[in-house]
Amino acid sequence: MGVEVCWDPAAKQPPAREAAFKSMTAATAGDKDGWLALFAPDAVVEDPVGPSMFDEEGKGHHGRDGLSAFWDKTIGNVEKFEFVIRDSHAAGSEVANVGTITTYLPGGYRVDTDGVFVYRVNEDGLVVSMRAFWETERAMATARQV
């Protein structure tokens, strides 16, 4: 039986876990500006890590312009998100969340993406790095009409 992580906003959390929670909340709300505000100006997002349909060179999305374009290409096209974080490991300025992101896409499709989502923050609590470890083929194999 898996462990469920309770994100109690009233409880003191490590800064990276708090930033990860805020990132998921902004994505769920479709709040692009709020999401971008969570990141340092020189932040890098690798989602997923390595070459993918979202990042052919596998070098990540850099800075506000790169993150804004990443949102438009990915997050902005999702009709609804569900985040289930089964475990969370915070250490130093980072957190690794283990869970499933369910996305509902146009045309009535649903995709479940299992992965490990690693956030690193700076001393101001802004995200400087977000690295998502998940397998495209594995996620696409779950695509189905709802």
Side-chain angles (χ1 to χ4, degrees):
M1 183 172 192
V3 175
E4 284 194 37
V5 177
C6 179
W7 297 99
D8 180 356
K12 179 75 175 146
Q13 297 290 338
R17 184 176 289 143
E18 190 173 306
F21 173 72
K22 288 177 180 177
S23 175
M24 290 182 275
T25 300
T28 300
D31 182 3
K32 179 180 179 180
D33 291 336
W35 184 79
L36 288 170
L38 299 171
F39 291 84
D42 59 348
V44 178
V45 168
E46 297 173 80
D47 186 355
V49 170
S52 73
M53 61 188 156
F54 306 125
D55 178 13
E56 291 180 12
E57 293 183 19
K59 295 181 179 179
H61 309 275
H62 297 257
R64 294 285 163 96
D65 289 343
L67 272 59
S68 179
F70 170 77
W71 174 285
D72 293 342
K73 187 185 286 187
T74 60
I75 299 168
N77 292 314
V78 174
E79 293 180 348
K80 177 182 169 187
F81 282 98
E82 292 176 356
F83 291 89
V84 176
I85 303 301
R86 289 183 298 282
D87 213 345
S88 181
H89 306 276
S93 62
E94 298 188 62
V95 67
N97 293 323
V98 180
T100 302
I101 301 172
T102 299
T103 53
Y104 294 84
L105 305 169
Y109 284 94
R110 174 181 169 168
V111 175
D112 298 318
T113 303
D114 293 324
V116 178
F117 310 95
V118 181
Y119 291 77
R120 183 168 38 103
V121 296
N122 63 18
E123 60 278 350
D124 296 323
L126 295 175
V127 178
V128 295
S129 173
M130 195 287 275
R131 303 182 78 216
F133 295 85
W134 57 274
E135 298 173 40
T136 305
E137 297 79 17
R138 196 167 150 179
M140 292 300 108
T142 72
R144 63 209 177 273
Q145 292 251 224
V146 290

